[in-house]
Amino acid sequence: MKLEDLGYNRQFETYRLEQGLEVFEIGRVVAEHKERYAVNTLKGEFEAEITGNMRFTARSREDFPAVGDWVALTAYDPDFAIIHQILPRFSVLKRPAVGHFGEIQIIATNIDFAFVVQAGDRDFNINRLERYITICHSSNVHPVIVIGKTDLIDDVKLNEILRTIKARIPNVPVISISNETRRGYDEITSIIKNGKTYCMLGSSGVGKSTLVNNLSGKTLMKTETISESTNKGRHMTTHRELIILGNGGILIDNPGMREVGMADVETGLETTFDTIIRLSQNCRFKDCTHTCEAGCEVIRAVENGEIDRASYGNYLKMQKEKAHFESTVAERKRKDKMIGKWVKNYKKNVKKNGNGYTD
């Protein structure tokens, strides 16, 4: 195996040489388990952890390795290696961390294409689809929409779904598949190229793990049927893992996401909702919110049917979530700054008085 088989390219090699990292092994993080990482190198797979300095200087979760990262490491034996540095990422799929104030959760890094999977029989939701597409656009990842379980719906329903997608998301490829009959698999495999990295995005129970198994020709991911009591998919994939496919493509499977929040997605919103952004340039006020202002071109276009009303509502909702996330990040930075100032003053007093207390 060559590093190029894992997605290594000239840009990564140039950085390695410029930074003087020749003394280290280079590998790619293929799995993550509670801050321990499985890393593939030319010498095989190693279980690794980061240096104490990396942990100490990390400002956020984004400074830790993630599945898809290229890292410089020292390998001692298969059960012990130390990661010294993360090579610059060319793409980062991320979202707000659930339950963690103002933090980011990295989904995967160095991704070329994302298969955004929804089930045609019960999971299809155009608003959620726009969210995934926006995340991809903001992350420098090329999205491909995959509508699965088409064997469970008729052609009338499928054509209705495809028309809806074309009207709302016109510039993204769409493939309809069946994991049972393998309908549409030729289209998917034609997209997968040697040395390129792909990931699966979508809710639990939409058929992502079955698709991974079928593409790889192996039972790599555990699968289970939809829960009859809740009508929701059971969450079977519990961690992120990198898989090498038979045709040389590299695939990362991700846990199903019940929440798809908006973080740093300004560029993504501009791309997904390009019609709204383009028309907004003609609004009377530069700071127009497109909600109630006189002379708003976006509102005019919605009222005239030029912009889909539901898509417009989804855009406003995502803008609001993005603004909320940005405000929480700003608040967190403010609090961290206050704590840092307090610690600095405390250390100064300790040095001055020997006990941390002033007279």
Side-chain angles (χ1 to χ4, degrees):
M1 184 190 73
K2 299 181 295 184
L3 289 179
E4 287 77 10
D5 296 331
L6 288 169
Y8 197 68
N9 58 40
R10 185 175 298 176
Q11 286 73 28
F12 291 124
E13 178 64 9
T14 298
Y15 179 84
R16 182 181 78 92
L17 296 175
E18 289 176 348
Q19 298 299 311
L21 300 176
E22 299 97 320
V23 296
F24 298 109
E25 294 285 335
I26 296 295
R28 193 169 194 188
V29 178
V30 298
E32 175 187 352
H33 305 278
K34 296 181 180 179
E35 295 188 11
R36 293 187 69 83
Y37 308 92
V39 183
N40 268 3
T41 74
L42 289 177
K43 295 182 179 179
E45 184 172 301
F46 294 86
E47 186 172 328
E49 55 189 63
I50 62 175
T51 65
N53 184 60
M54 283 184 69
R55 187 180 302 279
F56 179 76
T57 58
R59 294 166 296 177
S60 68
R61 181 62 189 82
E62 292 182 87
D63 294 324
F64 286 80
V67 172
D69 273 332
W70 284 97
V71 296
L73 71 158
T74 302
Y76 297 98
D77 61 60
D79 295 323
F80 183 62
I82 298 295
I83 295 172
H84 296 269
Q85 189 170 338
I86 302 169
L87 275 61
R89 301 154 172 161
F90 66 78
S91 66
V92 183
L93 278 168
K94 56 188 177 181
R95 65 169 181 169
V98 179
H100 295 275
F101 179 77
E103 289 190 14
I104 287 290
Q105 177 191 6
I106 295 180
I107 302 169
T109 69
N110 299 317
I111 303 295
D112 295 291
F113 293 86
F115 292 119
V116 183
V117 186
Q118 287 201 348
D121 64 327
R122 66 185 77 208
D123 177 73
F124 181 72
N125 183 307
I126 189 64
N127 284 355
R128 190 188 307 128
L129 198 55
E130 281 182 332
R131 285 173 170 266
Y132 280 118
I133 298 303
T134 299
I135 290 174
C136 291
H137 286 319
S138 68
S139 305
N140 197 32
V141 173
H142 301 289
V144 177
I145 298 169
V146 177
I147 303 301
K149 301 191 177 182
T150 57
D151 51 289
L152 300 179
I153 59 176
D154 58 30
D155 288 342
V156 174
K157 177 64 174 177
L158 176 59
N159 289 332
E160 178 186 336
I161 289 173
L162 296 179
R163 281 195 299 270
T164 300
I165 295 173
K166 186 175 181 180
R168 293 269 293 265
I169 313 172
N171 299 317
V172 175
V174 184
I175 301 173
S176 56
I177 69 165
S178 166
N179 285 329
E180 297 297 321
T181 67
R182 306 295 177 93
R183 169 185 177 179
Y185 269 57
D186 288 344
E187 292 182 72
I188 288 183
T189 54
S190 69
I191 294 174
I192 299 175
K193 305 297 182 184
N194 180 58
K196 295 294 183 181
T197 303
Y198 305 77
C199 77
M200 299 279 183
L201 299 177
S203 305
S204 301
V206 299
K208 296 196 287 28
S209 293
T210 301
L211 179 57
V212 171
N213 290 340
N214 289 344
L215 288 173
S216 67
K218 302 176 184 178
T219 304
L220 298 171
M221 297 294 167
K222 190 176 178 182
T223 62
E224 195 164 331
T225 57
I226 295 288
S227 168
E228 294 182 3
S229 60
T230 64
N231 201 36
K232 295 180 179 179
R234 296 189 176 107
H235 191 159
M236 301 308 298
T237 306
T238 56
H239 62 274
R240 294 164 182 80
E241 189 168 347
L242 187 147
I243 303 153
I244 307 297
L245 300 177
N247 66 354
I250 304 151
L251 182 62
I252 294 177
D253 187 50
N254 304 286
M257 294 187 287
R258 292 189 175 91
E259 296 184 33
V260 192
M262 297 292 104
D264 181 17
V265 294
E266 187 63 42
T267 302
L269 286 169
E270 290 177 358
T271 305
T272 305
F273 299 95
D274 59 331
T275 301
I276 291 177
I277 301 302
R278 176 170 48 81
L279 289 173
S280 70
Q281 305 304 311
N282 299 321
C283 290
R284 179 184 298 177
F285 304 106
K286 293 296 183 182
D287 58 350
C288 184
T289 64
H290 319 306
T291 56
C292 60
E293 293 88 350
C296 175
E297 277 294 299
V298 174
I299 294 175
R300 181 200 61 77
V302 172
E303 292 174 346
N304 291 343
E306 297 174 40
I307 295 175
D308 183 270
R309 189 173 293 273
S311 182
Y312 162 72
N314 202 29
Y315 167 78
L316 292 180
K317 186 174 182 180
M318 283 192 268
Q319 277 281 23
K320 184 176 180 180
E321 288 180 28
K322 181 181 78 72
H324 176 70
F325 178 79
E326 289 172 348
S327 67
T328 59
V329 170
E331 177 64 13
R332 185 182 179 192
K333 287 181 178 178
R334 186 185 69 82
K335 289 183 178 180
D336 287 347
K337 187 176 181 180
M338 289 175 60
I339 292 172
K341 186 176 181 180
W342 181 87
V343 170
K344 184 178 180 180
N345 288 337
Y346 176 81
K347 289 181 177 178
K348 185 185 295 184
N349 288 333
V350 168
K351 186 175 182 181
K352 180 179 179 180
N353 302 304
N355 57 10
Y357 296 96
T358 58
D359 294 331

